[in-house]
Structure formats: structure tokens, C-alpha cells
């Protein structure tokens, strides 16, 4: 009652009331975000310049953490591996999920079933995925190598137990896991392309490849851009899959940045150094995304 | 105005009452909290709590459960947040430095001073002449062997005189003869942990020092493992990791005739055989194989390794409860605690004193060699306490997987680990 009366008196400023209502809806969500994400992230930037073993206070150490990083061969290994994973994971996932989407975008008997099948890996527990793929890749008894031997490969790779093949193995599993999700996004994108455009192109005598180049790809531009950004950030942050599948091994052959951060922070209690490493990872994600936005913008105009 | 004064007085009184209750005194009942992990399958904490209650009815001990694999991570978080229990366990020595240097352990030198000399592992918790935790159990790595498979193959069982070369010969011999008799079992199983190679190498090699950054002492141990893998006498490291093999199944289901493992496995194997989770067969323990003959034979003391498990006191404990907590530590490490632990198959810190109690348990081998092994050992720490231990062990763990998976030759891997140790750890 009082609210309506008060509102009636302040009829001149409905905008303010709208803002207040809007804020009150946002507040619970924002409070959670601020406490659990924003404040820790801001603090992270402080801890990166300190030495802190989690007990008691941290001591200011200036740029020492970043100087240490410069000479830290493991950091460079982790960085190199992260780029290795990203460089192959992004184009592979993009191609496979687009291919799947094109295949499953037709009026096919049982198409819903196949879409579900492709999406399934994405909702399966990552630990189960890692266990099963590890068994499949098992060097002596795994089905993958048995198949390779059957078709005449004399010395099949050791996959997750070989320093040269562990990263490809992880990339294959990462792609297989995520292709379903991005396929779904591509499917949604494909359905926004007007059918008339395809028909018009057909009338003009364009073959399937030409239609794909001239109609489908341009029509998918916004979707592709979104997917590329998501994939990039996801690839740089890859953590759980590698932790449960190879734990960074053998040796350091699959050690990636986020796992190195975890190791330094939670296993060796160097929280200052781990924070500094996190900032580097953040900066990389940030820079790459900015570049992608700029490229997209210049293509738009 | 009057009302608020009254309220303030009441508040002050309440606060005074609270702090009065907190400080307590020796005569009143005290409740202590104790950290433990996997309480359903790890009865030792409840056993100690009940045993202590029986002698000190005024003190109640409440258990607080932690996750076994993430114990240290969770404990460090709780200590930092001020929510950790009054007494907490040092699961191994890898993180002892973190706790001690972080001032998260109370000085318990007075408890240590009153303990008997038979308590193993105490010196590991001493820094600058002060003791910061009291060991209550001290496992040791030994050689488990399957008597049935040895007699099936017709190979002479371990007799306490083995060096690692004897072990390797026996493993290959067993593998060949078991295969000939139609058994699928291999001669040996080496679990995937870095300690199965590095723990022995560090303990048994004269002059080996983890913090020296010189890891040449690891070489013979890795070469022997690789030889055994290539000869087919033990499962390859890569097959064990990719198929997540468990050591309990490998030995308990008779997939391997021999296995080096810590004495904690005796309690597990015994109960798994009773419940049917493991095959029923006769087994025994023998001293871990030695690097040289100097420490073999029953007249010598075999050298092996394992970290003690200790109890420390959280400095945030209420002042009036410190005395009770120290009494609990003394009980757990003393003769009564040792007897209670031996009764459930646990190896207490004072293992020689309870050999008889331990071997009265059903399902435990009773031969002379097993008893000798249980009571006689020079057990060195797996993680010698230092600022550098945790990061160095992580580097050596990378090296372990690189070598045993065949990704890197031994020499190159050792050289790389030494470089990393120098640049990333020891230079700081």
C-alpha cells in the first residue's frame, strides 16, 4: 500500500523506480558473483606480487614472481603445451562439429537419435571418459592399438604413455568430447539461414560446394565467431581432462598452464607464484579474444 | 538509556561466561576434535579415541572426516580459515615443513621427552631441537610374496638374504616357470608410485640426499625396473596406468607372485581375504630386497623406507585443552595405543613391542621370517623434511613417469630432473 502511494507521489521519476526494481532483481546474482568471483579475482592481482604460503599474511615481493617465471623452464614447457593443445584442438573441433551439424541438418530418418549420440560425450562424466579412453589407448592390450596392428601397423604409438603421442591422444579425446556441444550451436545457426537463399543459388546453377562457400558459411558467421571465442578460452583453460587422463605426463609432455597453476598453488603452497601464473593465463585469453573481436569487426565493415 | 546499559552488562556477563567456559580446567569434561580420513574403512582413529576414553573418561574425542587423497589440501585450507580440529594427523612428511614453518603446530617436546626409545620416526618431526608432532604409526616397506605361487613354480622363497639382483632373478625365474605350468601370474608387480623405485633408492644408497639435487643414485633402480618390464616379468608401467591397475587386485587376485608394498597392506589383505575380495592363499612378508649384501641376512638390519604418521596439535586449540591433547598424543604413541592399533592390524610406531599381539590376529602369516620382518628394520623417511621436499618430489614424479613409460632414457631423464631441481627449486 505504502509503496503504491509513494510511487504515486513520485510519478515524475518512474525511471528511477525501474532502475531500483531492476537492481533488486540483479542483486542476489551480483552479490554471489562479487563474493565468489569478483573479490577473489581482484585479490589475485595483489597476491601475484607477493609471497604467500596461505598461512598468515603475504609479504610484498614486487616483480619477483614474474622474474622467477621468466627463468622457469617448466612454465615455458606448460605454455608451449597449452599452445600445442589449442592450435590443434580449435580447428579440429570447429571442423568436426560443423561437419556433424551439416550431416545432421537434413530430413533424415532417426536424425534425433544421431544428434543425441553426438551430444552424449558432452554430458558424460569427464572422469569416466578419461578412464575409458585410457583403456582404449592402452599400449599393449587397448583396442585402438589392436586395430592398428590388425591393419598392419607394426609399431603402433604408445598414446598416453608416450611423450610424443600423449598430446595427440588428449586432443583427440578433447575434440570427441566437445564436438557435440558445438554441433548443437552450429545446428541452431544453420536453421537461421533462409532456405530461399539456397534455392536461389541452386537456380543460378551453383553446385553444393559453391553453395556451402557462398551461402552457408557467410550465414554462419555470427555462430562461428561465437564458437571460436568460446573454444579459444576453453582450450587455453583446459584442465580437468588432462588432470584425470595423463596428470601432465609422461614426464611433462602434457603439462598445461592451468595444471601448473594448480600444482604450484595447491600442491606446493606457493600461492603468490600461482597467482602470477594465473595472471599470465588471463592475459593470454584476454589478448586472443580481443584480437578475435577486432578481426570480426573489420570483416563486418 | 537504562535499558541499553542493562543489555550491555548482560552481554559482558555472557562474554565473560563464555571465555570462562572456554578456558576450562583439568577436572571438568573436555571435548577434543581429531582429524581423520575415510573413517568407514580406516578404523584407527576411532580405535585411538575409544582407547583413550577408556583411561580418561573426562575427555571426549570427536572425529572430523577428511578426504583421503586431498587430505593435506583440505587441512591447509581449514587451518588457514581457523576451522581445523584441535589435533590433526601428519599423513606423511611431504607437507610437514609447510605446517611447521607456517606455525600451524604446537611445540610438543615435553610429550616426546617422556616417550620410550622404541618409538620410530620421532626424529623426523624435530626442528631445531623442538618436536612438533608425535608418531603413532610407522609403516615400513616390505616384500610380500605368495607362498602358493612360489611352490607351484618350484622357486626358492625369500629367506631374508635377497639383494635386488636376487629379486630380479627370482622374478624372471618365476615368470617363466609359472607360464610353463599354465598360470597367468607374473613374477612381480611394481605399483605405479614413484616411491616403489625412489623410496628404496634414497634409503638404501650410501650418501644419497634428496636435497643435494644429485639424483644419480636412482639409476640402478630404474634400470632394474626397465629390465624386468622388458623381460615381461612385471606389468609395464604404461599398462598399469592406462588400465588403472590396483596393487590390491594384482597381489590379492594372484596376478603376481611378489610385490613390494608398505606394511599397511597387511591389514587390508587380511580383511580382503576374509571377505572374499581377495583370493585365499598363503602369503608371507620378507625384508625388502637390499642394494648390497651388507644389510642382508637375519643378523643384519634391513634398510627400508616409509614416512611415519604423526599427530600434531593445532595452535588455535583452547588453552585449557592443551594438556588433554598432549595426554592423547602420549597415549597414541605409547604402549597402550600401540597395543590397540596392533589389535586392528595397524603397525604402530613402536612395532617391536607389539609383535606378539600383532601375530595373534587371524589371517596374518606366522612364520619366523614374517615376524622378523615386522619387528626388524631401519626405516628411513621417504620425504626427508626440508623446504625443498615437496617441489623436488614433484620433479622426480615427472621423471618417474618419463622413464618407466619408456619416453626418456634413464640418463637423460636424470640429467633433466637435476637441471630442473637446480633452476626451479634449489636456487630459491
Amino acid at each position: 500500500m505504502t509503496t503504491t502511494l509513494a510511487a504515486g507521489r513520485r510519478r515524475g521519476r518512474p525511471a528511477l523506480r525501474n532502475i531500483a526494481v531492476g537492481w533488486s532483481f540483479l542483486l542476489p546474482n551480483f552479490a554471489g558473483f562479487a563474493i565468489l568471483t569478483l573479490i577473489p579475482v581482484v585479490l589475485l592481482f595483489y597476491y601475484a606480487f607477493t609471497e604467500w604460503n596461505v598461512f598468515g599474511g603475504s609479504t610484498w615481493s614486487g616483480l619477483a614472481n614474474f622474474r622467477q617465471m621468466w627463468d622457469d623452464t617448466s612454465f615455458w614447457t606448460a605454455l608451449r603445451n597449452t599452445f600445442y593443445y589449442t592450435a590443434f584442438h580449435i580447428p579440429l573441433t570447429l571442423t568436426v562439429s560443423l561437419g556433424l551439424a551439416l550431416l545432421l541438418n537434413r530430413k533424415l530418418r532417426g536424425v534425433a537419435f544421431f544428434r543425441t549420440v553426438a551430444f552424449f560425450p558432452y554430458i558424460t562424466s569427464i572422469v569416466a571418459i578419461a578412464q575409458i579412453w585410457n583403456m582404449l589407448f592402452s599400449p599393449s592390450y587397448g583396442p585402438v592399438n589392436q586395430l592398428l596392428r590388425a591393419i598392419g601397423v607394426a609399431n603402433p604409438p604408445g598414446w598416453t604413455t608416450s611423450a610424443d603421442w600423449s598430446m595427440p591422444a588428449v586432443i583427440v579425446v578433447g575434440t570427441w568430447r566437445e564436438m557435440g556441444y558445438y554441433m548443437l550451436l552450429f545446428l541452431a545457426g544453420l536453421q537461421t539461414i533462409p532456405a530461399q537463399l539456397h534455392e536461389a543459388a541452386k537456380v543460378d546453377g551453383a553446385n553444393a560446394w559453391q553453395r556451402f562457400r557462398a551461402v552457408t558459411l557467410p550465414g554462419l558467421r555470427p555462430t562461428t565467431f561465437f564458437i571460436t571465442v568460446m573454444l579459444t578460452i576453453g582450450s587455453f583453460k583446459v584442465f580437468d581432462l588432462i588432470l584425470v587422463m595423463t596428470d601432465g605426463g609422461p614426464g611433462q609432455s602434457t603439462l598445461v598452464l592451468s595444471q601448473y597453476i594448480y600444482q604450484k598453488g595447491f600442491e606446493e603452497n606457493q600461492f603468490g607464484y600461482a597467482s602470477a601464473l594465473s595472471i599470465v593465463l588471463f592475459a593470454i585469453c584476454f589478448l586472443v579474444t580481443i584480437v578475435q573481436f577486432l578481426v570480426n569487426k573489420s570483416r563486418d565493415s | 538509556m537504562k535499558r541499553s546499559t542493562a543489555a550491555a552488562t548482560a552481554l559482558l556477563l555472557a562474554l565473560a561466561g563464555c571465555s570462562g567456559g572456554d578456558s576450562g580446567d583439568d577436572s571438568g569434561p573436555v571435548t577434543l576434535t581429531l582429524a581423520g580420513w575415510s573413517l568407514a574403512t580406516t578404523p584407527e582413529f576411532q580405535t585411538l579415541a575409544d582407547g583413550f576414553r577408556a583411561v580418561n573418561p573426562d575427555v571426549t574425542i570427536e572425529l572430523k572426516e577428511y578426504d583421503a587423497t586431498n587430505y593435506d589440501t583440505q587441512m591447509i585450507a581449514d587451518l588457514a580459515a581457523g576451522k581445523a580440529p584441535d589435533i590433526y594427523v601428519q599423513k606423511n612428511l611431504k607437507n610437514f615443513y609447510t605446517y611447521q614453518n607456517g606455525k600451524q603446530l604446537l611445540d610438543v617436546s615435553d610429550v616426546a621427552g617422556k616417550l620410550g626409545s622404541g618409538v620410530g620416526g620421532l626424529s623426523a618431526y624435530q626442528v631445531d631441537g623442538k618436536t612438533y608432532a608425535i608418531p603413532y604409526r610407522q609403516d615400513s616397506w616390505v616384500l610380500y610374496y605368495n607362498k602358493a605361487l612360489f611352490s607351484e613354480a618350484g622357486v626358492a622363497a625369500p629367506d631374508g638374504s635377497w639383494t635386488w639382483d636376487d629379486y630380479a632373478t627370482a622374478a624372471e625365474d618365476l615368470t617363466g616357470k609359472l607360464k610353463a605350468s599354465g598360470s597367468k601370474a607374473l613374477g612381480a608387480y611394481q605399483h605405479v608410485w614413484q616411491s616403489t623405485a625412489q623410496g628404496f633408492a634414497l634409503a638404501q644408497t650410501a650418501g644419497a640426499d634428496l636435497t643435494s639435487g644429485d639424483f644419480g643414485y636412482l639409476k640402478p633402480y630404474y634400470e632394474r625396473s626397465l629390465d624386468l618390464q622388458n623381460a615381461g616379468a612385471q606389468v609395464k608401467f604404461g599398462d598399469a596406468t592406462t588400465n588403472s591397475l590396483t596393487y590390491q587386485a594384482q597381489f590379492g587376485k594372484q596376478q603376481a607372485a611378489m610385490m613390494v608394498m608398505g606394511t599397511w597392506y597387511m591389514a587390508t589383505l587380511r580383511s580382503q581375504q576374509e571377505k572374499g575380495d581377495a583370493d585365499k592363499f598363503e602369503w608371507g612378508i620378507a625384508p625388502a630386497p637390499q642394494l648390497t649384501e651388507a644389510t642382508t641376512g637375519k643378523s643384519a638390519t634391513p634398510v627400508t623406507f616409509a614416512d611415519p604418521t604423526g599427530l600434531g596439535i593445532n595452535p588455535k586449540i583452547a588453552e585449557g585443552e592443551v594438556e588433554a591433547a598432549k595426554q592423547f598424543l602420549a597415549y597414541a604413541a605409547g604402549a597402550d595405543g600401540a597395543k590397540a592399533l596392533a589389535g586392528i592390524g595397524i603397525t604402530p610406531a613402536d612395532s617391536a613391542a607389539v609383535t606378539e599381539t600383532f601375530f595373534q590376529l587371524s589371517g596374518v602369516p606366522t612364520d619366523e621370517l614374517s615376524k622378523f620382518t615386522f619387528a626388524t628394520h631401519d626405516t628411513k623417511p621417504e620425504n626427508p623434511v626440508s623446504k625443498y621436499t615437496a617441489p623436488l618430489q614433484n620433479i622426480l614424479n615427472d621423471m618417474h613417469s618419463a622413464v618407466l613409460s619408456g619416453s626418456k632414457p634413464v640418463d637423460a631423464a636424470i640429467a633433466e630432473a637435476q637441471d630442473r631441481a637446480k633452476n626451479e627449486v634449489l636456487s630459491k
Side-chain angles (χ1 to χ4, degrees):
Chain A
M1 233 1 227
T2 34
T3 343
T4 33
L5 279 178
R9 250 192 324 240
R10 289 184 202 151
R11 197 171 288 265
R13 294 191 297 175
L16 206 69
R17 195 175 137 240
N18 275 347
I19 289 172
V21 169
W23 274 83
S24 67
F25 277 110
L26 279 176
L27 197 66
N29 186 16
F30 182 76
F33 169 77
I35 293 168
L36 298 173
T37 309
L38 190 63
I39 295 175
V41 167
V42 171
L43 286 178
L44 177 93
F45 279 86
Y46 168 72
Y47 286 129
F49 298 94
T50 66
E51 211 181 307
W52 187 38
N53 70 352
V54 89
F55 300 123
S58 48
T59 45
W60 184 261
S61 62
L63 289 171
N65 286 330
F66 293 93
R67 268 197 295 271
Q68 179 186 343
M69 212 183 294
W70 186 256
D71 297 324
D72 184 351
T73 45
S74 294
F75 162 70
W76 292 107
T77 308
L79 192 68
R80 216 170 31 244
N81 287 338
T82 310
F83 277 104
Y84 181 178
Y85 179 85
T86 310
F88 285 89
H89 181 248
I90 296 177
L92 257 177
T93 312
L94 213 57
T95 326
V96 175
S97 51
L98 178 59
L100 271 175
L102 290 170
L103 267 177
L104 296 175
N105 192 34
R106 6 177 126 207
K107 292 197 175 55
L108 204 71
R109 190 182 284 261
V111 74
F113 171 75
F114 289 110
R115 283 180 189 171
T116 314
V117 168
F119 191 65
F120 229 80
Y122 190 70
I123 51 167
T124 310
S125 146
I126 194 126
V127 179
I129 287 180
Q131 289 264 350
I132 299 295
W133 274 97
N134 251 328
M135 288 181 193
L136 292 174
F137 278 137
S138 181
S140 313
Y141 314 107
V144 173
N145 275 2
Q146 281 182 355
L147 186 79
L148 287 176
R149 278 194 205 98
I151 58 168
V153 181
N155 277 315
W159 300 111
T160 50
T161 66
S162 136
D164 298 329
W165 285 93
S166 51
M167 192 53 101
V170 170
I171 292 171
V172 166
V173 179
T175 304
W176 174 80
R177 175 170 187 260
E178 287 173 12
M179 64 185 187
Y181 176 68
Y182 294 112
M183 170 204 75
L184 218 62
L185 297 181
F186 270 128
L187 270 176
L190 281 172
Q191 264 140 43
T192 62
I193 302 173
Q196 298 95 306
L197 288 180
H198 278 284
E199 277 154 26
K202 228 183 234 173
V203 172
D204 289 346
N207 62 27
W209 174 245
Q210 284 169 328
R211 266 179 284 142
F212 173 71
R213 290 282 312 265
V215 179
T216 313
L217 274 188
L220 279 178
R221 262 270 310 286
T223 316
T224 316
F225 173 67
F226 172 71
I227 290 177
T228 316
V229 171
M230 298 302 289
L231 256 176
T232 311
I233 297 175
S235 306
F236 278 117
K237 294 198 315 188
V238 62
F239 175 65
D240 44 5
L241 179 73
I242 287 184
L243 189 77
V244 284
M245 216 174 140
T246 62
D247 195 18
Q252 291 183 305
S253 58
T254 50
L255 178 78
V256 286
L257 260 185
S258 50
Q259 195 197 346
Y260 193 55
I261 294 168
Y262 174 80
Q263 225 175 54
K264 287 290 158 192
F266 293 98
E267 286 177 13
E268 295 174 15
N269 296 303
Q270 304 178 27
F271 285 88
Y273 190 50
S275 305
L277 290 165
S278 312
I279 286 185
V280 170
L281 179 58
F282 172 79
I284 293 172
C285 289
F286 193 69
L287 276 179
V288 173
T289 313
I290 295 248
V291 169
Q292 284 171 338
F293 263 96
L294 290 178
V295 169
N296 191 51
K297 215 173 196 180
S298 72
R299 274 200 201 147
D300 259 348
S301 52
Chain B
M1 192 62 192
K2 239 179 207 164
R3 215 200 274 160
S4 61
T5 324
T9 320
L11 192 69
L12 277 173
L13 278 173
L15 281 175
C18 264
S19 54
D22 252 6
S23 64
D25 49 40
D26 287 341
S27 58
V30 178
T31 302
L32 296 172
T33 47
L34 166 69
W37 57 83
S38 315
L39 297 181
T41 52
T42 317
E44 61 194 75
F45 308 110
Q46 194 61 54
T47 303
L48 285 176
D50 293 344
F52 184 65
R53 185 88 206 258
V55 248
N56 295 279
D58 274 351
V59 187
T60 314
I61 294 188
E62 277 174 12
L63 299 183
K64 187 172 177 196
E65 181 159 12
Y66 285 83
D67 178 56
T69 16
N70 298 304
Y71 175 79
D72 283 310
T73 313
Q74 292 183 347
M75 184 55 69
I76 287 167
D78 269 9
L79 283 166
K83 293 189 331 191
D86 300 326
I87 305 170
Y88 66 100
V89 187
Q90 300 290 313
K91 204 163 184 263
N92 54 46
L93 290 176
K94 197 174 170 185
N95 288 293
F96 172 70
Y97 175 84
T98 308
Y99 295 119
Q100 190 271 330
N101 184 57
K103 300 190 176 58
Q104 300 302 312
L105 286 168
L106 219 58
D107 180 0
V108 289
S109 305
D110 46 343
V111 180
K114 287 180 216 143
L115 288 179
S117 59
V119 178
L122 189 63
S123 60
Y125 296 119
Q126 287 168 339
V127 180
D128 299 331
K130 286 181 183 166
T131 309
Y132 290 93
I134 301 292
Y136 70 95
R137 65 184 283 189
Q138 169 73 64
D139 288 294
S140 298
W141 279 65
V142 297
L143 177 68
Y144 290 80
Y145 65 102
N146 183 324
K147 291 182 180 171
L149 286 176
F150 265 85
S151 57
E152 185 183 331
V155 174
D159 54 6
S161 72
W162 282 16
T163 62
W164 284 103
D165 290 333
D166 298 325
Y167 165 85
T169 315
E172 289 183 33
D173 209 14
L174 279 163
T175 308
K177 288 183 174 155
L178 284 170
K179 199 172 189 179
S181 74
S183 166
K184 277 201 298 185
L186 297 182
Y189 176 71
Q190 180 184 8
H191 198 47
V192 297
W193 299 333
Q194 70 191 109
S195 46
T196 57
Q198 297 175 4
F200 288 116
L202 183 62
Q204 296 176 342
T205 313
D209 178 7
L210 182 73
T211 53
S212 69
D214 179 0
F215 304 136
Y217 63 88
L218 295 171
K219 191 177 175 187
Y221 287 82
Y222 277 109
E223 282 179 336
R224 200 174 298 112
S225 288
L226 288 170
D227 286 347
L228 283 176
Q229 280 191 24
N230 294 334
Q234 69 183 32
V235 174
K236 286 203 162 112
F237 178 81
D239 289 319
T241 51
T242 51
N243 293 299
S244 317
L245 298 187
T246 66
Y247 68 86
Q248 294 93 338
Q250 288 300 305
F251 190 76
K253 294 275 184 189
Q254 310 196 71
Q255 303 294 305
M258 299 189 285
M259 177 175 80
V260 285
M261 188 46 64
T263 40
W264 60 80
Y265 179 51
M266 292 177 85
T268 314
L269 181 55
R270 172 180 162 258
S271 91
Q272 285 194 333
Q273 282 194 327
E274 262 166 31
K275 284 190 218 147
D277 293 335
D279 293 352
K280 283 221 160 79
F281 57 87
E282 259 203 83
W283 53 279
I285 57 170
Q290 300 293 302
L291 181 62
T292 66
E293 278 177 10
T295 47
T296 61
K298 282 196 187 167
S299 53
T301 309
V303 181
T304 183
F305 77 97
D307 282 349
T309 314
L311 293 168
I313 302 179
N314 182 352
K316 292 210 175 72
I317 188 173
E319 217 171 290
E321 292 172 355
V322 173
E323 212 33 58
K326 284 185 174 171
Q327 278 169 16
F328 176 71
L329 263 53
Y331 163 81
D336 293 339
K339 213 163 263 173
L341 290 168
I344 55 167
I346 301 274
T347 321
D350 195 352
S351 60
V354 294
T355 308
E356 284 316 310
T357 318
F358 190 88
F359 284 96
Q360 278 162 13
L361 287 171
S362 65
V364 164
T366 51
D367 58 283
E368 278 312 306
L369 187 64
S370 294
K371 284 184 182 171
F372 169 80
T373 309
F374 183 81
T376 321
H377 39 75
D378 175 8
T379 305
K380 302 199 170 158
E382 177 188 349
N383 297 289
V385 175
S386 96
K387 173 183 176 184
Y388 303 122
T389 304
L392 284 178
Q393 292 289 29
N394 287 346
I395 289 175
L396 289 178
N397 193 32
D398 290 339
M399 181 207 139
H400 180 72
S401 66
V403 171
L404 285 188
S405 67
S407 299
K408 235 181 216 137
V410 183
D411 285 321
I414 289 180
E416 192 196 307
Q418 291 181 166
D419 277 348
R420 280 187 62 197
K422 204 185 295 164
N423 294 331
E424 296 171 24
V425 182
L426 300 170
S427 62
K428 284 202 298 170

